[in-house]
Amino acid sequence: MKIKDLFVKKWTNLLKDYGNLENCQFPGVYILAYTEKNLEGKPLDIKDIFYVGMSNSRGGVKQRLKQFINGIHKNHGHSAGNRFFKEYGKGEPFNILKDKKTFFVASLSLPCKVHKNKRSPEDLRKMGQVAKFEYEVLAYIKENLNREPELNKK
């Protein structure tokens, strides 16, 4: 997994089309933008990144994004989604917020098996690459913007 492979992706509207991201059923790293701009289909810009996350579990990136959506709507299922619900939504579900911002997503996944009874040593190595890549993306952002994404701050 390489930074350049992520940054050739295009933004997708999170709430409308996250399930159609390439290989989203597998482990991977995803980035979110939260903006008033319409980023749909536009190239990634590092300045738009609001959050960096990853999944190594069954269901992959798609399942993790679903958990994030539950977090911003119901304050349940994803620590960053829950943080958004409390801090940005002031305890209100995302779908009733008055601001005109929305979420966009891009991701890079690594096909592998994650179930303990089915995964191979190579699958475990791939899962390790995914975890490492999340930190590589965060480091890349910090190097270039001198800060981490806003929602990654705990």
Side-chain angles (χ1 to χ4, degrees), residues 6-20:
L6 177 62
F7 278 85
V8 297
K9 302 287 185 175
K10 307 262 192 240
W11 289 113
T12 297
N13 186 303
L14 173 68
L15 300 174
K16 292 180 183 171
D17 216 17
Y18 74 93
N20 290 322

Side-chain angles (χ1 to χ4, degrees), residues 45-63:
D45 184 335
I46 192 172
K47 291 183 234 92
D48 291 322
I49 298 174
F50 182 66
Y51 180 73
V52 176
M54 58 86 63
S55 175
N56 254 334
S57 63
R58 286 176 51 181
V61 168
K62 181 178 180 178
Q63 181 63 30

Side-chain angles (χ1 to χ4, degrees), residues 19-125:
N20 290 322
L21 294 168
E22 183 181 14
N23 290 321
C24 66
Q25 72 274 26
F26 296 112
V29 171
Y30 59 93
I31 56 175
L32 298 174
Y34 178 61
T35 182
E36 288 182 2
K37 298 183 276 186
N38 181 5
L39 299 180
E40 181 73 36
K42 301 231 165 90
L44 303 185
D45 184 335
I46 192 172
K47 291 183 234 92
D48 291 322
I49 298 174
F50 182 66
Y51 180 73
V52 176
M54 58 86 63
S55 175
N56 254 334
S57 63
R58 286 176 51 181
V61 168
K62 181 178 180 178
Q63 181 63 30
R64 196 67 179 136
L65 291 171
K66 184 176 179 183
Q67 291 169 345
F68 180 83
I69 292 167
N70 283 338
I72 65 174
H73 286 304
K74 302 174 187 172
N75 191 31
H76 175 73
H78 189 289
S79 60
N82 299 347
R83 191 164 49 255
F84 180 90
F85 183 93
K86 292 172 192 161
E87 295 176 14
Y88 294 84
K90 308 280 191 255
E92 296 289 336
F94 176 75
N95 58 331
I96 67 166
L97 296 182
K98 302 277 190 246
D99 70 15
K100 294 184 168 60
K101 292 182 178 181
T102 194
F103 286 97
F104 295 90
V105 62
S107 69
L108 184 62
S109 293
L110 198 54
C112 64
K113 295 180 181 126
V114 298
H115 193 275
K116 285 186 179 187
N117 295 334
K118 296 181 180 177
R119 62 189 183 198
S120 68
E122 187 56 32
D123 291 323
L124 290 166
R125 287 184 185 94

